[in-house]
Amino acid sequence: MSQRNTGVTSQVVNAQACPVREVLDRVAGKWSVQILVAAAHGPIRFTELERGIEGISRRMLTLTLRNLERDGLVSRTVHPTVPPKVEYELTPVAQELHETLQRLTDWSERHRVHIAESRAAYDAAHDTEATAASGRS
Amino acid sequence: MSQRNTGVTSQVVNAQACPVREVLDRVAGKWSVQILVAAAHGPIRFTELERGIEGISRRMLTLTLRNLERDGLVSRTVHPTVPPKVEYELTPVAQELHETLQRLTDWSERHRVHIAESRAAYDAAHDTEATAASGRS
DNA sequence: CGGAATCCTTGTAGATACTG
DNA sequence: CAGTATCTACAAGGATTCCG
């Protein structure tokens, strides 16, 4: 397919027209995916998530959870006990997404080396004269 | 390095623990995906991209293109003619990603309605009583 | 225990103007 | 035509603290 689209590129559609962006906007958050993965094993508690993800702040956990809940990707169940106990669980919809995410993971695994090399090569080719003494990794 | 350092907060846990994040970090950009899609049809020129994506600025196009090039997802070919002519093309690696992206698209198509409804329901349930004072729509 | 509110730092993106 | 440079704005995210 070496077609030279010389001028036929107008078909490229509008920005938000493609549903791909919808998915990514929803999943692009730094923590969304990790929460989905962490919750994939079954119902999980707030604190378990907080401790399991290791690096997430309470704030971001809450916010991301809210967004996922809002989009119907996780369900929030409050147990009216004392102390309070709230469990989050993936909805079927989110479980499908999880499967799809694994395909992305697969792609990443397959090419991460190639990509890392590309980066290194690119950086090297562009830093060579700029690195008098900086020694960027 | 202007962190407060009130203690030993700089654990900086390996955020890239899961490869999923690598992919998303690389694709999460607002324009990355659209560029990949636009370039999927074959070699495409800078201006064609700029005009095709409709909404992207020169700066962002350049930056995103650079990142994609750096990661080895697009190749940049400069034709030493006058006026200058530069063509961008997806690498095989990126084409695989494009396929994977389509699976995401598929998921999105299937559930976009459900998600929209979830949002509406969530918003309704959370705004109804908040509108008493704030007046938020 | 589960959150909400606050403050602050940074990255991402837009607009504009200039260059090879 | 294909960029680069600069300046600014806004939102994502981190840290901390208070509340139910």
Side-chain angles (χ1 to χ4, degrees), chain B residues 66-130:
Chain B
R66 283 254 180 255
N67 277 324
L68 293 175
E69 188 194 351
R70 195 168 97 106
D71 287 346
L73 297 184
V74 303
S75 61
R76 180 169 175 269
T77 310
V78 182
H79 300 273
T81 63
V82 45
K85 176 177 176 181
V86 181
E87 284 187 322
Y88 295 90
E89 187 175 12
L90 291 196
T91 63
V93 176
Q95 297 200 11
E96 285 185 43
L97 179 62
H98 183 245
E99 291 175 27
T100 307
L101 249 31
Q102 286 190 5
R103 301 190 193 281
L104 271 197
T105 306
D106 182 52
W107 177 88
S108 180
E109 298 271 25
R110 273 182 287 134
H111 299 295
R112 71 195 312 176
V113 177
H114 173 77
I115 289 176
E117 288 173 1
S118 296
R119 282 204 175 192
Y122 184 94
D123 286 352
H126 284 256
D127 275 357
T128 25
E129 49 217 68

Side-chain angles (χ1 to χ4, degrees), chain A residues 46-47 59 62 66 76 88:
Chain A
F46 188 89
T47 341
R59 195 180 95 96
T62 303
R66 284 258 179 253
R76 179 169 175 268
Y88 294 90

Side-chain angles (χ1 to χ4, degrees), chain A residues 23-82:
Chain A
V23 192
L24 274 92
D25 281 345
R26 175 155 29 251
V27 161
K30 191 173 177 179
W31 304 106
S32 307
V33 176
Q34 289 170 72
I35 290 180
L36 290 179
V37 170
H41 315 305
I44 190 171
R45 286 222 250 164
F46 188 89
T47 341
E48 290 178 324
L49 281 171
E50 187 180 9
R51 294 166 52 167
I53 291 187
E54 191 104 28
I56 194 171
S57 62
R58 265 210 182 99
R59 195 180 95 96
M60 288 320 296
L61 181 55
T62 303
L63 283 180
T64 311
L65 240 21
R66 284 258 179 253
N67 277 324
L68 294 175
E69 187 194 352
R70 196 168 97 106
D71 288 345
L73 297 184
V74 304
S75 60
R76 179 169 175 268
T77 311
V78 183
H79 300 272
T81 63
V82 46

